[in-house]
Amino acid sequence: MRQIVLDTETTGLEPAQGHRIIEIGCVELINRRPTENRFHQYLQPDRDIDPGAVEVHGITTEFLATSRASPMSRRT
């Protein structure tokens, strides 16, 4: 059986307040064993990260500003 395990980190917990995804990671499993297929990407949220979220994941606004984070596409 093939499965994809997905993990995300965000700027906070409230999408209605404009919180956004800042990190996506995926790992492929075949018969519950990891394969070499992986995906990882930081995203530039164009907003500050709440201090409580930084306490959880350790990703700071400053880190994303100096990383190769991809710009997020905006919904129109």
Side-chain angles (χ1 to χ4, degrees):
M1 175 171 54
R2 180 179 187 226
Q3 299 171 296
I4 305 295
V5 179
L6 173 71
D7 182 49
T8 62
E9 300 298 346
T10 64
T11 60
L13 297 175
E14 298 295 333
Q17 294 177 7
H19 289 285
R20 299 176 147 229
I21 294 172
I22 56 173
E23 182 182 29
I24 300 171
C26 302
V27 176
E28 178 187 52
L29 305 176
I30 302 288
N31 297 323
R32 298 187 182 186
R33 297 183 193 276
T35 70
E36 298 297 318
N37 293 328
R38 302 171 191 278
F39 174 82
H40 180 261
Q41 183 70 53
Y42 288 112
L43 301 169
Q44 190 61 253
D46 297 325
R47 65 161 287 144
D48 286 336
I49 302 170
D50 282 2
V54 174
E55 287 182 33
V56 171
H57 51 59
I59 301 169
T60 64
T61 303
E62 295 77 20
F63 170 78
L64 290 177
T66 61
S67 74
R68 293 176 25 166
S70 296
M72 292 191 70
S73 61
R74 296 181 185 263
R75 285 187 269 166
T76 56

